[in-house]
Coordinates of all heavy atoms in Angstrom, one line a residue:
M1387 N -5.5 1.4 15.4 CA -5.6 2.7 14.8 C -6.3 2.7 13.5 O -6.2 1.8 12.7 CB -4.1 3.2 14.6 CG -4.0 4.6 14.2 SD -2.3 5.2 14.0 CE -1.7 5.2 15.7
A1388 N -7.1 3.7 13.3 CA -7.9 3.8 12.0 C -7.1 3.9 10.8 O -5.9 4.4 10.8 CB -8.9 5.0 12.2
I1389 N -7.6 3.5 9.7 CA -6.9 3.4 8.4 C -6.5 4.9 8.1 O -5.3 5.0 7.7 CB -7.8 2.8 7.3 CG1 -7.9 1.3 7.6 CG2 -7.3 3.2 5.9 CD1 -8.9 0.6 6.6
Q1390 N -7.3 5.8 8.2 CA -6.9 7.2 7.8 C -5.8 7.7 8.7 O -4.9 8.4 8.1 CB -8.2 8.1 7.9 CG -7.9 9.6 7.3 CD -7.8 9.5 5.8 OE1 -8.4 8.8 5.1 NE2 -6.8 10.3 5.3
E1391 N -5.8 7.4 9.9 CA -4.7 7.8 10.8 C -3.4 7.2 10.4 O -2.4 7.8 10.4 CB -5.0 7.5 12.3 CG -6.1 8.3 12.8 CD -6.5 7.8 14.3 OE1 -5.5 7.7 15.1 OE2 -7.6 7.3 14.5
Q1392 N -3.4 5.9 10.0 CA -2.2 5.2 9.6 C -1.7 5.8 8.3 O -0.4 6.0 8.2 CB -2.5 3.7 9.4 CG -2.8 3.0 10.6 CD -1.5 2.6 11.4 OE1 -0.7 3.6 11.8 NE2 -1.2 1.4 11.7
L1393 N -2.6 6.1 7.4 CA -2.1 6.8 6.1 C -1.5 8.1 6.4 O -0.5 8.5 5.8 CB -3.3 6.8 5.1 CG -3.9 5.5 4.7 CD1 -5.1 5.7 3.8 CD2 -2.8 4.7 3.9
D1394 N -2.1 8.9 7.3 CA -1.6 10.2 7.6 C -0.2 10.1 8.2 O 0.7 10.9 7.8 CB -2.5 10.9 8.6 CG -3.9 11.4 8.0 OD1 -4.0 11.4 6.8 OD2 -4.8 11.6 8.8
R1395 N 0.0 9.2 9.1 CA 1.3 8.9 9.6 C 2.3 8.5 8.6 O 3.4 9.0 8.6 CB 1.3 7.9 10.8 CG 0.6 8.4 12.0 CD 0.6 7.4 13.1 NE 1.9 7.0 13.5 CZ 2.2 6.0 14.2 NH1 1.3 5.1 14.6 NH2 3.5 5.7 14.5
A1396 N 1.9 7.6 7.7 CA 2.8 7.1 6.7 C 3.2 8.3 5.8 O 4.4 8.4 5.4 CB 2.1 6.1 5.9
A1397 N 2.3 9.1 5.4 CA 2.5 10.3 4.5 C 3.5 11.3 5.2 O 4.4 11.8 4.6 CB 1.3 11.0 4.1
R1398 N 3.2 11.6 6.5 CA 4.0 12.5 7.3 C 5.4 12.1 7.4 O 6.4 12.9 7.4 CB 3.4 12.7 8.7 CG 3.0 14.0 9.0 CD 2.5 14.2 10.5 NE 2.2 13.1 11.3 CZ 1.0 12.6 11.4 NH1 0.0 13.1 10.8 NH2 0.8 11.5 12.2
N1399 N 5.6 10.8 7.6 CA 6.9 10.2 7.9 C 7.6 9.5 6.7 O 8.7 8.9 6.9 CB 6.9 9.3 9.1 CG 6.4 10.0 10.3 OD1 6.9 10.9 10.7 ND2 5.3 9.4 10.9
A1400 N 6.9 9.6 5.5 CA 7.5 9.0 4.3 C 7.8 7.6 4.5 O 8.8 7.1 4.1 CB 8.7 9.8 3.8
R1401 N 6.9 6.9 5.2 CA 7.2 5.4 5.5 C 6.3 4.5 4.5 O 5.1 4.9 4.2 CB 6.7 5.1 6.9 CG 7.8 5.7 7.9 CD 7.5 5.5 9.3 NE 7.3 4.1 9.7 CZ 6.9 3.7 10.9 NH1 6.7 4.6 11.8 NH2 6.7 2.4 11.2
P1402 N 6.8 3.4 4.1 CA 6.0 2.5 3.3 C 4.9 1.8 4.2 O 5.0 1.9 5.4 CB 7.0 1.4 2.9 CG 8.2 1.5 3.9 CD 8.1 2.9 4.4
V1403 N 3.9 1.3 3.6 CA 2.8 0.7 4.2 C 2.5 -0.7 3.7 O 2.7 -1.0 2.5 CB 1.5 1.5 4.2 CG1 1.6 2.8 5.0 CG2 1.1 1.8 2.8
R1404 N 1.9 -1.5 4.5 CA 1.3 -2.8 4.0 C -0.1 -2.6 4.0 O -0.8 -2.2 5.0 CB 1.7 -4.0 4.9 CG 1.1 -5.3 4.4 CD 1.7 -6.5 5.2 NE 3.1 -6.7 5.0 CZ 4.0 -6.6 5.9 NH1 3.7 -6.4 7.2 NH2 5.3 -6.8 5.6
L1405 N -0.8 -2.9 2.9 CA -2.2 -2.7 2.7 C -2.9 -4.0 2.5 O -2.5 -4.8 1.7 CB -2.5 -1.8 1.5 CG -1.8 -0.5 1.3 CD1 -2.0 0.1 0.0 CD2 -2.3 0.5 2.4
H1406 N -3.9 -4.3 3.4 CA -4.7 -5.5 3.2 C -6.1 -5.1 2.7 O -6.8 -4.3 3.3 CB -4.9 -6.2 4.6 CG -3.6 -6.6 5.2 ND1 -3.2 -8.0 5.2 CD2 -2.6 -6.0 5.9 CE1 -2.1 -8.1 5.8 NE2 -1.6 -6.9 6.2
T1407 N -6.4 -5.7 1.6 CA -7.7 -5.3 1.0 C -8.8 -6.3 1.4 O -8.5 -7.3 1.8 CB -7.6 -5.2 -0.6 OG1 -7.4 -6.6 -1.1 CG2 -6.5 -4.3 -1.1
R1408 N -10.0 -5.8 1.2 CA -11.1 -6.7 1.6 C -11.3 -7.9 0.7 O -11.9 -8.9 1.2 CB -12.4 -5.9 1.6 CG -12.4 -4.7 2.6 CD -13.8 -4.1 2.8 NE -13.7 -3.0 3.7 CZ -13.6 -3.0 5.0 NH1 -13.6 -4.2 5.6 NH2 -13.5 -2.0 5.7
D1409 N -10.7 -7.9 -0.4 CA -10.7 -9.1 -1.3 C -9.5 -10.0 -1.1 O -9.3 -10.9 -1.9 CB -11.0 -8.7 -2.8 CG -9.7 -8.0 -3.4 OD1 -8.7 -7.7 -2.7 OD2 -9.8 -7.7 -4.6
G1410 N -8.7 -9.7 -0.2 CA -7.7 -10.6 0.2 C -6.3 -10.3 -0.3 O -5.3 -11.0 0.0
E1411 N -6.1 -9.3 -1.1 CA -4.8 -8.9 -1.6 C -4.0 -8.2 -0.6 O -4.5 -7.5 0.3 CB -4.9 -7.9 -2.8 CG -3.6 -7.7 -3.4 CD -3.7 -6.7 -4.7 OE1 -4.8 -6.3 -5.0 OE2 -2.7 -6.5 -5.3
V1412 N -2.7 -8.4 -0.6 CA -1.8 -7.8 0.3 C -0.7 -7.1 -0.5 O -0.1 -7.7 -1.3 CB -1.1 -8.8 1.3 CG1 -0.1 -8.1 2.3 CG2 -2.2 -9.6 2.1
L1413 N -0.6 -5.8 -0.2 CA 0.4 -4.9 -1.0 C 1.3 -4.3 0.0 O 0.9 -3.9 1.1 CB -0.3 -3.9 -1.8 CG -1.5 -4.2 -2.7 CD1 -2.7 -3.7 -2.0 CD2 -1.3 -3.5 -4.0
V1414 N 2.6 -4.1 -0.5 CA 3.5 -3.2 0.2 C 3.6 -2.0 -0.8 O 3.9 -2.2 -2.0 CB 4.8 -3.8 0.5 CG1 5.8 -2.8 1.0 CG2 4.6 -4.9 1.5
A1415 N 3.4 -0.7 -0.3 CA 3.4 0.4 -1.2 C 4.0 1.6 -0.6 O 4.1 1.7 0.7 CB 1.9 0.6 -1.6
R1416 N 4.3 2.6 -1.4 CA 4.7 3.9 -1.0 C 3.5 4.9 -1.4 O 3.1 4.9 -2.6 CB 5.9 4.4 -1.7 CG 7.1 3.7 -1.3 CD 8.4 4.5 -1.6 NE 9.5 3.7 -1.1 CZ 9.9 3.6 0.2 NH1 9.3 4.3 1.1 NH2 10.9 2.9 0.5
L1417 N 3.1 5.6 -0.5 CA 1.9 6.6 -0.8 C 2.4 7.7 -1.6 O 3.5 8.3 -1.4 CB 1.3 7.1 0.5 CG 0.6 6.1 1.4 CD1 0.1 6.9 2.6 CD2 -0.5 5.5 0.7
L1418 N 1.6 8.1 -2.6 CA 1.9 9.3 -3.3 C 1.0 10.4 -2.9 O 1.4 11.5 -2.8 CB 1.7 9.0 -4.8 CG 2.6 8.0 -5.5 CD1 2.2 7.7 -6.9 CD2 4.1 8.5 -5.4
E1419 N -0.3 10.0 -2.7 CA -1.2 11.0 -2.1 C -2.5 10.2 -1.6 O -2.7 9.1 -1.9 CB -1.7 12.0 -3.1 CG -2.4 11.4 -4.3 CD -2.8 12.4 -5.4 OE1 -2.5 13.7 -5.2 OE2 -3.4 12.1 -6.4
H1420 N -3.2 10.9 -0.7 CA -4.5 10.3 -0.2 C -5.4 11.4 0.3 O -5.0 12.4 0.6 CB -4.2 9.2 0.9 CG -3.8 9.8 2.2 ND1 -2.5 10.3 2.4 CD2 -4.5 10.0 3.4 CE1 -2.4 10.8 3.6 NE2 -3.6 10.6 4.2
D1421 N -6.7 11.0 0.3 CA -7.7 11.9 0.9 C -8.7 11.0 1.6 O -8.4 9.8 1.9 CB -8.3 12.8 -0.2 CG -9.0 12.0 -1.3 OD1 -9.5 10.9 -1.1 OD2 -9.0 12.6 -2.5
A1422 N -9.9 11.5 1.9 CA -10.8 10.8 2.7 C -11.5 9.6 1.9 O -12.1 8.7 2.5 CB -11.9 11.7 3.1
L1423 N -11.3 9.6 0.6 CA -12.0 8.6 -0.2 C -11.0 7.6 -0.9 O -11.4 6.4 -1.2 CB -12.9 9.2 -1.3 CG -14.0 10.1 -0.8 CD1 -14.7 10.8 -1.9 CD2 -14.9 9.3 0.1
R1424 N -9.8 8.0 -1.2 CA -8.9 7.2 -2.0 C -7.5 7.4 -1.7 O -7.1 8.4 -1.0 CB -9.2 7.4 -3.5 CG -8.9 8.8 -3.8 CD -8.6 9.1 -5.3 NE -8.2 10.4 -5.5 CZ -7.0 10.9 -5.4 NH1 -6.0 10.2 -5.1 NH2 -6.8 12.2 -5.6
L1425 N -6.6 6.5 -2.2 CA -5.2 6.7 -2.1 C -4.6 6.4 -3.4 O -5.1 5.6 -4.2 CB -4.6 6.0 -1.0 CG -4.5 4.4 -1.0 CD1 -3.3 3.9 -1.8 CD2 -4.5 3.8 0.3
R1426 N -3.4 7.0 -3.7 CA -2.6 6.7 -4.9 C -1.3 6.3 -4.4 O -0.7 7.0 -3.5 CB -2.6 7.9 -5.8 CG -2.0 7.5 -7.2 CD -2.3 8.5 -8.3 NE -1.8 9.8 -7.9 CZ -0.7 10.3 -8.2 NH1 0.2 9.6 -8.8 NH2 -0.3 11.6 -7.8
C1427 N -0.8 5.2 -4.9 CA 0.5 4.7 -4.4 C 1.3 4.0 -5.5 O 0.8 3.7 -6.5 CB 0.2 3.7 -3.2 SG -0.7 2.2 -3.8
V1428 N 2.6 3.8 -5.1 CA 3.5 3.0 -6.0 C 3.5 1.6 -5.3 O 3.9 1.5 -4.2 CB 4.9 3.6 -6.1 CG1 5.8 2.6 -6.8 CG2 4.8 4.9 -6.8
V1429 N 3.1 0.6 -6.0 CA 3.1 -0.8 -5.5 C 4.5 -1.4 -5.5 O 5.1 -1.4 -6.7 CB 2.1 -1.6 -6.1 CG1 2.1 -3.1 -5.6 CG2 0.7 -1.1 -6.0
L1430 N 5.1 -1.7 -4.4 CA 6.4 -2.3 -4.4 C 6.3 -3.9 -4.5 O 7.1 -4.5 -5.2 CB 7.1 -1.9 -3.1 CG 7.2 -0.4 -2.8 CD1 7.9 -0.2 -1.5 CD2 8.1 0.2 -3.9
T1431 N 5.4 -4.5 -3.8 CA 5.1 -5.9 -3.8 C 3.6 -6.1 -3.7 O 2.9 -5.3 -3.2 CB 5.9 -6.7 -2.8 OG1 5.4 -6.3 -1.5 CG2 7.3 -6.5 -2.8
S1432 N 3.2 -7.3 -4.2 CA 1.8 -7.6 -4.2 C 1.6 -9.1 -4.2 O 2.4 -9.8 -4.8 CB 1.0 -7.0 -5.3 OG -0.3 -7.5 -5.3
S1433 N 0.6 -9.6 -3.5 CA 0.2 -11.0 -3.6 C -0.4 -11.3 -4.9 O -0.7 -12.4 -5.3 CB -0.7 -11.4 -2.4 OG -1.9 -10.6 -2.4
R1434 N -0.8 -10.2 -5.7 CA -1.4 -10.4 -7.0 C -0.7 -9.4 -8.0 O -1.3 -8.5 -8.6 CB -2.9 -10.0 -6.9 CG -3.6 -11.0 -6.1 CD -5.1 -10.6 -6.1 NE -5.7 -11.5 -5.1 CZ -6.9 -11.2 -4.5 NH1 -7.5 -10.0 -4.8 NH2 -7.4 -12.0 -3.6
P1435 N 0.6 -9.7 -8.3 CA 1.3 -8.8 -9.2 C 0.7 -8.6 -10.6 O 1.0 -7.6 -11.3 CB 2.7 -9.5 -9.3 CG 2.5 -10.9 -8.9 CD 1.3 -10.9 -7.9
E1436 N -0.1 -9.6 -11.0 CA -0.7 -9.5 -12.3 C -1.7 -8.3 -12.4 O -2.1 -7.9 -13.6 CB -1.5 -10.8 -12.7 CG -2.7 -11.1 -11.8 CD -2.3 -11.9 -10.5 OE1 -1.1 -12.0 -10.2 OE2 -3.3 -12.2 -9.8
N1437 N -2.0 -7.7 -11.3 CA -2.9 -6.5 -11.3 C -2.2 -5.2 -11.7 O -2.9 -4.2 -11.8 CB -3.6 -6.3 -9.9 CG -4.5 -7.4 -9.6 OD1 -5.0 -8.2 -10.4 ND2 -4.9 -7.5 -8.3
Y1438 N -0.9 -5.3 -11.8 CA -0.2 -4.0 -12.0 C 0.7 -4.0 -13.3 O 1.4 -5.0 -13.6 CB 0.8 -3.8 -10.8 CG -0.1 -3.8 -9.5 CD1 -0.2 -5.0 -8.8 CD2 -0.8 -2.8 -9.2 CE1 -1.0 -5.1 -7.7 CE2 -1.7 -2.8 -8.1 CZ -1.8 -4.0 -7.3 OH -2.6 -4.0 -6.3
A1439 N 0.5 -3.0 -14.1 CA 1.2 -2.9 -15.4 C 2.6 -2.5 -15.2 O 2.9 -1.8 -14.3 CB 0.4 -1.9 -16.3
V1440 N 3.5 -2.9 -16.1 CA 4.9 -2.5 -16.1 C 5.0 -1.0 -16.2 O 5.8 -0.4 -15.5 CB 5.6 -3.2 -17.2 CG1 7.0 -2.7 -17.4 CG2 5.6 -4.7 -17.0
C1441 N 4.1 -0.4 -16.9 CA 4.3 1.1 -17.2 C 3.4 2.0 -16.2 O 3.1 3.1 -16.6 CB 3.9 1.5 -18.6 SG 2.3 1.0 -19.1
D1442 N 3.1 1.4 -15.1 CA 2.2 2.1 -14.1 C 3.0 3.2 -13.3 O 2.9 3.2 -12.1 CB 1.5 1.1 -13.2 CG 0.1 1.6 -12.8 OD1 -0.3 2.6 -13.2 OD2 -0.5 0.8 -12.0
S1443 N 3.6 4.1 -14.0 CA 4.5 5.0 -13.3 C 3.8 6.1 -12.5 O 4.3 6.8 -11.7 CB 5.5 5.7 -14.3 OG 4.8 6.4 -15.3
T1444 N 2.5 6.4 -12.9 CA 1.7 7.4 -12.2 C 1.1 6.9 -10.9 O 0.5 7.7 -10.1 CB 0.6 8.0 -13.1 OG1 -0.2 7.0 -13.4 CG2 1.2 8.6 -14.3
G1445 N 1.3 5.6 -10.7 CA 0.8 5.0 -9.4 C -0.5 4.3 -9.6 O -1.2 4.4 -10.7
H1446 N -0.9 3.6 -8.6 CA -2.2 2.9 -8.6 C -3.1 3.4 -7.5 O -2.7 3.8 -6.5 CB -1.8 1.4 -8.2 CG -3.0 0.5 -8.3 ND1 -3.6 0.1 -9.5 CD2 -3.8 0.0 -7.3 CE1 -4.6 -0.7 -9.3 NE2 -4.8 -0.8 -7.9
E1447 N -4.4 3.5 -8.0 CA -5.4 4.1 -7.1 C -6.3 3.1 -6.4 O -6.7 2.1 -7.1 CB -6.2 5.1 -7.9 CG -7.0 6.1 -7.1 CD -7.6 7.2 -7.9 OE1 -6.8 8.0 -8.5 OE2 -8.8 7.3 -8.0
L1448 N -6.5 3.2 -5.1 CA -7.4 2.3 -4.4 C -8.4 3.1 -3.6 O -8.0 4.2 -3.0 CB -6.6 1.5 -3.4 CG -5.7 0.4 -3.8 CD1 -4.8 -0.1 -2.7 CD2 -6.6 -0.8 -4.3
A1449 N -9.6 2.7 -3.6 CA -10.7 3.3 -2.7 C -10.4 2.9 -1.3 O -10.1 1.8 -1.0 CB -12.0 2.9 -3.1
L1450 N -10.5 3.9 -0.4 CA -10.2 3.6 1.1 C -11.2 2.5 1.6 O -10.8 1.7 2.4 CB -10.3 4.9 1.9 CG -9.1 5.8 1.8 CD1 -9.1 6.9 2.9 CD2 -7.8 5.1 1.7
D1451 N -12.4 2.5 1.1 CA -13.4 1.5 1.6 C -13.0 0.1 1.1 O -13.7 -0.9 1.5 CB -14.8 1.9 1.3 CG -15.1 1.9 -0.2 OD1 -14.2 1.7 -1.1 OD2 -16.3 2.3 -0.6
A1452 N -12.0 0.0 0.2 CA -11.6 -1.4 -0.3 C -10.6 -1.9 0.8 O -10.1 -3.1 0.6 CB -11.0 -1.3 -1.6
L1453 N -10.1 -1.1 1.7 CA -9.0 -1.5 2.6 C -9.6 -2.1 3.9 O -10.6 -1.5 4.4 CB -8.1 -0.3 2.9 CG -7.3 0.2 1.8 CD1 -6.5 1.4 2.2 CD2 -6.5 -0.7 1.1
E1454 N -9.0 -3.2 4.3 CA -9.4 -3.8 5.6 C -8.5 -3.3 6.7 O -8.9 -3.1 7.8 CB -9.3 -5.3 5.4 CG -9.8 -6.1 6.6 CD -9.8 -7.5 6.2 OE1 -10.9 -8.0 5.6 OE2 -8.9 -8.2 6.5
R1455 N -7.1 -3.2 6.3 CA -6.1 -2.9 7.4 C -4.9 -2.2 6.7 O -4.6 -2.5 5.6 CB -5.7 -4.2 8.0 CG -4.8 -4.0 9.2 CD -4.6 -5.3 10.0 NE -3.7 -6.2 9.3 CZ -4.0 -7.5 9.1 NH1 -5.1 -8.0 9.4 NH2 -3.1 -8.3 8.5
V1456 N -4.3 -1.4 7.5 CA -3.0 -0.7 7.0 C -2.0 -0.8 8.1 O -2.4 -0.5 9.3 CB -3.3 0.8 6.7 CG1 -2.0 1.5 6.3 CG2 -4.3 1.0 5.5
T1457 N -0.8 -1.2 7.7 CA 0.3 -1.3 8.7 C 1.5 -0.5 8.3 O 1.9 -0.6 7.1 CB 0.7 -2.8 8.9 OG1 -0.4 -3.6 9.2 CG2 1.8 -2.9 10.0
L1458 N 1.9 0.4 9.1 CA 3.2 1.1 8.8 C 4.4 0.2 8.8 O 4.4 -0.6 9.7 CB 3.4 2.3 9.8 CG 2.5 3.5 9.5 CD1 1.5 3.7 10.5 CD2 3.5 4.7 9.4
L1459 N 5.3 0.4 7.9 CA 6.5 -0.4 7.9 C 7.7 0.5 8.0 O 7.7 1.7 7.7 CB 6.6 -1.2 6.5 CG 5.4 -2.1 6.2 CD1 5.6 -2.7 4.8 CD2 5.3 -3.2 7.3
T1460 N 8.8 -0.1 8.4 CA 10.1 0.6 8.3 C 10.7 0.2 6.9 O 10.2 -0.7 6.2 CB 11.1 0.0 9.3 OG1 11.4 -1.4 9.1 CG2 10.6 0.2 10.8
E1461 N 11.7 0.9 6.5 CA 12.4 0.7 5.2 C 12.8 -0.8 5.1 O 12.7 -1.5 4.1 CB 13.6 1.6 5.0 CG 13.1 3.0 4.8 CD 12.3 3.2 3.5 OE1 12.4 2.5 2.5 OE2 11.4 4.1 3.5
D1462 N 13.4 -1.3 6.2 CA 13.9 -2.6 6.3 C 12.7 -3.6 6.1 O 12.9 -4.6 5.4 CB 14.6 -2.9 7.6 CG 16.0 -2.3 7.7 OD1 16.5 -1.9 6.7 OD2 16.4 -2.2 8.8
E1463 N 11.6 -3.4 6.8 CA 10.5 -4.3 6.6 C 10.0 -4.3 5.2 O 9.6 -5.3 4.7 CB 9.4 -3.9 7.6 CG 9.7 -4.2 9.0 CD 8.7 -3.6 9.9 OE1 8.2 -2.4 9.7 OE2 8.4 -4.3 11.0
A1464 N 9.9 -3.1 4.6 CA 9.5 -3.1 3.2 C 10.4 -3.8 2.3 O 10.0 -4.4 1.3 CB 9.3 -1.6 2.8
G1465 N 11.7 -3.7 2.5 CA 12.7 -4.3 1.6 C 12.7 -5.8 1.7 O 13.0 -6.5 0.8
R1466 N 12.4 -6.4 2.9 CA 12.5 -7.8 3.1 C 11.1 -8.5 3.1 O 10.9 -9.6 3.5 CB 13.2 -8.1 4.3 CG 12.5 -7.8 5.6 CD 13.3 -8.3 6.8 NE 12.6 -8.0 8.0 CZ 12.9 -7.1 8.9 NH1 14.1 -6.5 8.8 NH2 12.2 -6.8 9.9
S1467 N 10.1 -7.7 2.6 CA 8.8 -8.3 2.5 C 8.7 -9.4 1.5 O 8.2 -9.2 0.4 CB 7.8 -7.2 2.2 OG 6.5 -7.6 2.2
G1468 N 9.2 -10.6 1.9 CA 9.4 -11.6 0.9 C 8.1 -12.4 0.6 O 8.1 -13.1 -0.5
R1469 N 7.1 -12.4 1.4 CA 6.0 -13.2 1.1 C 5.2 -12.8 -0.1 O 5.1 -13.5 -1.0 CB 5.0 -13.3 2.3 CG 5.2 -14.5 3.1 CD 4.2 -14.5 4.2 NE 5.0 -14.2 5.4 CZ 4.5 -13.6 6.5 NH1 3.2 -13.2 6.5 NH2 5.2 -13.3 7.5
P1470 N 4.8 -11.5 -0.2 CA 4.2 -11.1 -1.5 C 5.2 -11.0 -2.6 O 6.4 -10.7 -2.4 CB 3.6 -9.7 -1.2 CG 3.6 -9.6 0.3 CD 4.7 -10.5 0.8
R1471 N 4.9 -11.4 -3.8 CA 5.7 -11.4 -4.9 C 5.9 -10.0 -5.4 O 5.1 -9.1 -5.2 CB 5.1 -12.2 -6.0 CG 5.1 -13.7 -5.7 CD 4.5 -14.5 -6.8 NE 3.1 -13.9 -7.0 CZ 2.0 -14.5 -7.1 NH1 2.0 -15.8 -7.0 NH2 0.8 -13.9 -7.3
R1472 N 7.0 -9.8 -6.2 CA 7.4 -8.4 -6.7 C 6.3 -8.0 -7.7 O 6.0 -8.7 -8.6 CB 8.7 -8.6 -7.3 CG 9.4 -7.4 -7.5 CD 10.3 -7.1 -6.3 NE 10.7 -5.7 -6.5 CZ 10.8 -4.8 -5.6 NH1 10.5 -5.1 -4.4 NH2 11.3 -3.6 -5.8
A1473 N 5.8 -6.8 -7.5 CA 5.0 -6.1 -8.5 C 5.9 -5.5 -9.6 O 6.9 -5.1 -9.3 CB 4.1 -5.0 -7.8
R1474 N 5.3 -5.5 -10.8 CA 6.1 -5.0 -11.9 C 5.6 -3.6 -12.2 O 4.5 -3.4 -12.5 CB 5.9 -5.9 -13.1 CG 6.5 -7.3 -12.8 CD 6.1 -8.2 -13.9 NE 6.4 -9.5 -13.4 CZ 7.0 -10.4 -14.1 NH1 7.3 -10.2 -15.3 NH2 7.2 -11.6 -13.5
G1475 N 6.6 -2.7 -12.1 CA 6.2 -1.3 -12.5 C 6.4 -0.4 -11.4 O 6.2 0.4 -10.8

């Protein structure tokens, strides 16, 4: 399924997503908004937590062309996503 379709489904169903970026980062996030070019999300976990500030309460923005793959998660999957370390903020 295409990235945009996965993001649409996640937003419609208020489901968390796992985002794989082209530079190798893996994030678990909640979408705040998205359009054809970018998404804004709250990062729950990341393989690179140093990229996220403690006070990043307005969310983090990613360009859609930076994404390689998007996977919809259940709440349970998002909660036990133990491989990526906890993002701060």
Side-chain angles (χ1 to χ4, degrees):
M1387 188 178 292
I1389 289 174
Q1390 189 67 42
E1391 291 175 59
Q1392 291 284 58
L1393 294 174
D1394 290 343
R1395 286 182 63 197
R1398 239 186 346 266
N1399 298 307
R1401 287 177 58 183
V1403 290
R1404 181 173 293 120
L1405 306 169
H1406 296 260
T1407 65
R1408 295 193 186 283
D1409 68 357
E1411 184 177 7
V1412 179
L1413 309 107
V1414 173
R1416 292 201 179 280
L1417 293 179
L1418 298 173
E1419 64 182 358
H1420 72 285
D1421 58 28
L1423 300 175
R1424 60 161 185 85
L1425 67 84
R1426 194 164 52 91
C1427 63
V1428 173
V1429 177
L1430 304 174
T1431 63
S1432 172
S1433 59
R1434 298 182 186 154
E1436 65 276 7
N1437 291 344
Y1438 306 94
V1440 172
C1441 62
D1442 210 2
S1443 62
T1444 59
H1446 183 74
E1447 198 167 294
L1448 287 168
L1450 290 191
D1451 63 1
L1453 298 177
E1454 186 172 274
R1455 186 169 79 228
V1456 174
T1457 306
L1458 278 112
L1459 302 175
T1460 64
E1461 291 297 328
D1462 287 342
E1463 289 171 322
R1466 68 174 182 250
S1467 185
R1469 261 183 256 147
R1471 294 175 304 227
R1472 198 90 192 139
R1474 297 171 194 222

